[in-house]
Amino acid sequence: MSGQKQAEDSIISSNFNENQAEDIGGGGKEEGKEEESVFSMKNALWHGGSAWDAWFSCSSNQVAQVLLTLPYSFSQLGMASGIVLQIFYGLLGSWTAYLISVLYIEYRSRKEKEGVSFKNHVIQWFEVLDGLLGPYWKAIGLGFNCTFLLFGSVIQLIACASNIYYINDHLDKRTWTYIFGACCATTVFIPSFHNYRIWSFLGLGMTTYTAWYMAIAALIHGQADGVQHSGPKKLVLYFTGATNILYTFGGHAVTVEIMHAMWKPRKFKYIYLIATLYVFTLTLPSSSAVYWAFGDELLNHSNAFSLLPKTRWRDAAVILMLIHQFITFGFACTPLYFVWEKVIGMHDTKSICLRALARLPVVVPIWFLAIIFPFFGPINSAVGALLVSFTVYIIPALAHMLTYRNASARQNAAEKPPRFLPSWACMYAFNMFIVVWVLVVGFGFGGWASMTNFIRQVDTFGLFAKCYQCKPTGPPLQHH
């Protein structure tokens, strides 16, 4: 079948085939592609571009290792603030993901009217900013997005080492980081987000198991002896926890790449919101239950696994989370791979092996940074305050306001305001609220608090810490 052959070509070049790319709104051809994929096992497991694929990608990408640090955030914030801020930042993140999707469609529709083809090209967020607002915005978007994705990948490696230590403490966490860095380097062979269909599905299943294991295990364990729930106690801790939650729902630095992998990108608009609502069913019960059980103990245990009793169920959760972190590492790194390929002129190369080789230099600095800064919880908050605040919240809101600042741009907009916020004035007001709130609370207070906490960890444990927050050295550990 010619349609299937085109789909396979698309996999090799990590992009849409030309017929799919030329009609954003979809049509008979795209529907045919969806129907054909049902009958092909290879396409069923490998080549995904449906709305369901995008939902699995968004849901899976949003709740990886951060699930394990949310109880730590609750101990800093208190129960009430923890729940309210999760809902608040979840909805705020869904809105800015919607704005990114609108700007992507606007950029793509303008380019296609000019006759531009994206057959051998994956559109990225910085290119959308460049096309709509110019080179300065491109530089800003590229800088923030790449730095955020770089540290997002670093966090996955740190989390892998932190988790496996709770199953096997024969090796220290730094040695485990070396090992998992080599394992995660194999993501260079996954061409694009088309090819994450089975991984996204499995990843979400693994996170769902882990979240409900945490909730049930904490309830069965009951409250620890003398448990205290004294948070919030200090402003530094409060805003550190708040920025970790801001980071939790800021997983859409890869929104444009996920959209571009869809057969009908216009369907993406509300997918992120639906994904976030599902994520609430995982994060709220697990973080609340673990905080209820252990309280202030969590202030010194940024990884919830360290307090939950060692059982086969916990070991299963650790292993599943490790596999999912490998997947999430690929999610965070793939846009970086694309950027690097474009820089060195390898983006349209058809050989998967050649592209994999070209991508390897991206993995090395990530590996190195994970060994320098192995601070599991604090680095989440620092990345949230300094990078996610701009990448995910401030820049999309500002970009949307500037793109549609002229009456002609609003009149010819590819996407009109949504039904629940029908006027442009309301959209402007809400976007301005996001910019001011995140700038003051997220970047300002959050940046101060998270960097204070981060520097304290460096002073306490030092750079290149061999085993951050490990058991005290003593006879049991020496026995291992």
Side-chain angles (χ1 to χ4, degrees):
M1 284 184 293
S2 61
Q4 186 175 347
K5 177 67 169 65
Q6 286 174 342
E8 289 170 356
D9 289 343
S10 162
I11 293 168
I12 295 171
S13 63
S14 75
N15 206 348
F16 279 154
N17 65 57
E18 193 166 16
N19 290 336
Q20 289 169 332
E22 289 189 352
D23 183 7
I24 294 178
K29 289 179 181 178
E30 283 85 350
E31 289 166 8
K33 299 286 184 285
E34 287 192 73
E35 289 169 5
E36 285 169 10
S37 68
V38 175
F39 299 103
S40 166
M41 183 58 69
K42 183 177 179 181
N43 282 354
L45 298 176
W46 181 249
H47 183 62
S50 67
W52 277 105
D53 289 306
W55 182 82
F56 277 116
S57 292
C58 289
S59 304
S60 177
N61 188 43
Q62 200 173 121
V63 283
Q65 51 73 38
V66 77
L67 191 69
L68 308 175
T69 65
L70 285 174
Y72 167 68
S73 297
F74 268 51
S75 69
Q76 297 168 319
L77 293 163
M79 185 77 82
S81 288
I83 292 170
V84 169
L85 285 174
Q86 275 199 44
I87 295 169
F88 175 69
Y89 281 124
L91 296 178
L92 223 59
S94 299
W95 173 254
T96 53
Y98 167 77
L99 296 181
I100 290 171
S101 72
V102 168
L103 293 172
Y104 167 87
I105 290 168
E106 181 68 38
Y107 166 77
R108 187 162 171 178
S109 62
R110 289 184 188 182
K111 287 296 180 184
E112 287 179 345
K113 283 175 185 174
E114 296 170 10
V116 177
S117 170
F118 297 107
K119 183 180 180 183
N120 293 313
H121 190 89
V122 175
I123 298 173
Q124 294 189 267
W125 176 229
F126 69 90
E127 292 167 321
V128 172
L129 291 173
D130 184 27
L132 297 177
L133 297 172
Y136 290 113
W137 278 87
K138 174 186 176 180
I140 293 168
L142 187 62
F144 274 106
N145 225 39
C146 288
T147 311
F148 168 42
L149 290 168
L150 179 78
F151 278 98
S153 305
V154 168
I155 288 167
Q156 299 312 317
L157 281 189
I158 296 169
C160 284
S162 178
N163 290 345
I164 193 64
Y165 184 78
Y166 298 116
I167 289 183
N168 185 334
D169 58 9
H170 289 70
L171 300 175
D172 59 73
K173 290 182 183 178
R174 188 169 67 195
T175 305
W176 280 119
T177 305
Y178 292 136
I179 294 167
F180 278 101
C183 294
C184 288
T186 58
T187 56
V188 297
F189 289 100
I190 303 175
S192 77
F193 284 100
H194 277 303
N195 316 120
Y196 275 96
R197 166 174 278 186
I198 189 65
W199 293 112
S200 297
F201 176 75
L202 292 173
L204 189 58
M206 293 165 187
T207 313
T208 301
Y209 170 88
T210 303
W212 284 107
Y213 154 74
M214 287 168 63
I216 294 166
L219 293 173
I220 291 172
H221 177 276
Q223 289 191 310
D225 294 337
V227 67
Q228 290 186 315
H229 300 87
S230 54
K233 287 169 68 176
K234 297 179 181 177
L235 276 178
V236 170
L237 294 179
Y238 186 87
F239 284 108
T240 301
T243 49
N244 188 40
I245 291 179
L246 179 142
Y247 168 81
T248 303
F249 295 97
H252 42 290
V254 296
T255 299
V256 171
E257 289 85 357
I258 292 172
M259 281 189 75
H260 193 78
M262 291 179 70
W263 294 317
K264 301 178 184 178
R266 281 188 189 273
K267 285 188 173 183
F268 185 86
K269 284 187 293 185
Y270 302 113
I271 283 174
Y272 199 90
L273 174 62
I274 299 166
T276 300
L277 295 177
Y278 179 77
V279 167
F280 285 154
T281 69
L282 306 181
T283 58
L284 290 170
S286 61
S287 48
S288 302
V290 175
Y291 177 57
W292 168 82
F294 298 102
D296 290 354
E297 270 190 86
L298 286 157
L299 287 168
N300 297 314
H301 295 83
S302 54
N303 188 328
F305 281 147
S306 62
L307 288 175
L308 292 167
K310 183 173 173 60
T311 62
R312 286 179 297 174
W313 298 101
R314 193 199 72 167
D315 288 353
V318 171
I319 292 165
L320 291 177
M321 189 55 74
L322 283 170
I323 299 168
H324 187 214
Q325 280 157 350
F326 165 80
I327 298 165
T328 310
F329 181 92
F331 261 95
C333 262
T334 299
L336 293 176
Y337 295 153
F338 291 157
V339 172
W340 179 245
E341 287 169 1
K342 290 170 186 176
V343 168
I344 62 173
M346 295 282 288
H347 188 57
D348 57 354
T349 302
K350 292 187 177 181
S351 168
I352 292 176
C353 292
L354 200 57
R355 288 179 69 192
L357 193 63
R359 290 171 168 190
L360 278 176
V362 176
V363 180
V364 175
I366 293 168
W367 207 349
F368 188 61
L369 286 167
I371 293 161
I372 298 177
F373 304 114
F375 313 123
F376 187 56
I379 198 172
N380 281 7
S381 299
V383 169
L386 304 179
L387 298 172
V388 175
S389 56
F390 282 94
T391 303
V392 168
Y393 298 95
I394 295 172
I395 291 175
L398 280 176
H400 189 274
M401 287 193 288
L402 290 173
T403 298
Y404 297 108
R405 64 189 180 277
N406 298 325
S408 60
R410 294 192 293 272
Q411 188 175 353
N412 298 316
E415 284 287 329
K416 303 299 181 186
R419 292 176 189 172
F420 60 86
L421 209 63
S423 77
W424 287 100
C426 289
M427 290 191 76
Y428 263 71
F430 191 51
N431 286 342
M432 184 54 71
F433 164 75
I434 291 172
V435 171
V436 173
W437 176 275
V438 177
L439 196 62
V440 174
V441 177
F443 177 72
F445 289 110
W448 159 73
S450 58
M451 287 311 296
T452 301
N453 191 32
F454 187 78
I455 291 165
R456 190 178 296 154
Q457 302 298 321
V458 173
D459 290 342
T460 305
F461 294 94
L463 298 176
F464 298 97
K466 191 172 184 180
C467 213
Y468 173 68
Q469 287 188 344
C470 294
K471 304 174 194 173
T473 305
L477 194 58
Q478 287 172 352
H479 173 73
H480 287 304

